[in-house]
Each structure stands twice: as C-alpha cells, then as structure tokens.
Amino acid sequence: GAVVSQHPSWVICKSGTSVKIECRSLDFQATTMFWYRQFPKQSLMLMATSNEGSKATYEQGVEKDKFLINHASLTLSTLTVTSAHPEDSSFYICSARDSGLAGGWGTQYFGPGTRLLVL
Amino acid sequence: AQSVTQPDIHITVSEGASLELRCNYSYGATPYLFWYVQSPGQGLQLLLKYFSGDTLVQGIKGFEAEFKRSQSSFNLRKPSVHWSDAAEYFCAVGGGTSYGKLTFGQGTILTVHP
C-alpha cells in the first residue's frame, strides 16, 4: 500500500521555540493532507485540513497562528508549532488522501506520527 | 455533530478465541465507516471500510465488520485471534462531501494472552 512518512519521529524542544514537522506521501500525490493530534490514551482529534496550493482549514478551537500548516507540493505538508509550550506536548499524526473513485473519498494513509515534548 | 463511541477501552482475549470490538456512531446522513489498527511506531492501518452496499464488510487480516443502521453500530469481528493482533483499534466515521475528514472513537486496546 501507499506510504506516508513523517519527520522527525521524536522531538524535544525548549519552551518558546518553534518546531517543524514534515509529512510526505512517498509513492502517490496527495492534494489533501490532514493533521491530527493524539493525547495519551485518547483518540485522534482532527486539527486541520491541508490543501495543496491553498490555505489550510482549521477545526474549531485550533489556533491557526500557533499551528502553521503549509502544503507546498503534492507530496509534502508541514506543520509548524510556533512558540511551543509544555501544553503543546503531544503525538502529532498526519494523513494523506489518495483520491480514488469511491465517491471522491479515496483512501487515507497515515504517517507513523511525531512525538513532541516541550520542556 | 458526528461522534463515535467505542465502549470498551481495553479487551483481553486468549489466542484462538473470537473477538468483537464494539463501535457506535452518530451521524446525520449516510455514514462512511472505517476501522483502523494502530501498532506502536507505526501509522494507522486501514482494516476495512463501509461506504454502501453489502452491510457485512470483509477486511484484511481476517477481520470483518457489520453495519447495522438500526443500531447505529459497526462492530469489528474476528473468529480466531492471533497474538500479532494485539494493538489499538479505532473506529471512525465520515461522509458526505467532507472528503477524508474523519471523526475517531476513543480506541480499544486489545491484549492477546497466549
């Protein structure tokens, strides 16, 4: 099946710094990518939808100035956590949609996740 | 608003036993339903999905799920569990024109005893 990679897999940073996470679709083009956040022992929460060549769409309650998303190409989306604080520590997961024939829904492939720890 | 409930946080079964993981959803229109499995260090892997048609869906690794509209349920089953099935399982719902946007349940952790 299709592969989605994330880099880095682990990052530790100091409070106040910014962290960039990359999400790449390795063997298909993804016009749409999604960013999720997962807290320990909780479900995945959709943060934003990233569309190639246009602005991301953020879910209610997600600060767009804090979580900057850029989808510059059909295979790469980046999430930058700006001025990170300890409460931003979490597991961030991206997914890429391979648009198929199933009513436009296609198949969504998930990356392995990036664990962020802010000290 | 759409939502997914997985009532069981943790399930333990013996290897070779049958398995059923429960999933209930709330969605205002025809739902698209999914089951994913998450193993440590790996991305979520799609086990199966239901869009329309036959309400009994076959997936990978011997899993199946049945869509029951009257009960708003989409339970995952496997007749004989293998030790390698130990992982966390997520049910998700989406649909309509919100292509790809998924709402996930809380997840069920499956432990398999030898």
Side-chain angles (χ1 to χ4, degrees), chain A residues 34 36 38 43-44 46 49 59 91 93 97 102-108 110-112, chain B residues 32 34 36 38 41 43-44 49 51 90 94-96 98-102 104-106:
Chain A
F34 302 90
Y36 293 85
Q38 186 179 27
S43 184
L44 286 77
L46 180 65
T49 302
E59 296 300 302
F91 193 51
I93 300 173
R97 187 171 73 91
W105 251 79
T107 299
Q108 197 170 148
F110 285 80
Chain B
Y32 293 171
F34 306 79
Y36 286 88
Q38 184 181 37
L44 275 75
K49 60 187 176 185
F51 282 2
F90 290 93
S98 57
Y99 297 121
K101 287 182 66 173
L102 295 173
F104 284 85
Q106 303 92 318

Side-chain angles (χ1 to χ4, degrees), chain B residues 16-34:
Chain B
S18 63
L19 172 70
E20 182 170 34
L21 302 182
R22 295 182 292 166
C23 172
N24 293 98
Y25 69 89
S26 173
Y27 193 75
T30 301
Y32 293 171
L33 294 158
F34 306 79

Side-chain angles (χ1 to χ4, degrees), chain B residues 31-53:
Chain B
Y32 293 171
L33 294 158
F34 306 79
W35 273 100
Y36 286 88
V37 59
Q38 184 181 37
S39 299
Q42 303 200 10
L44 275 75
Q45 182 183 20
L46 179 66
L47 289 175
L48 47 79
K49 60 187 176 185
Y50 172 79
F51 282 2
S52 64

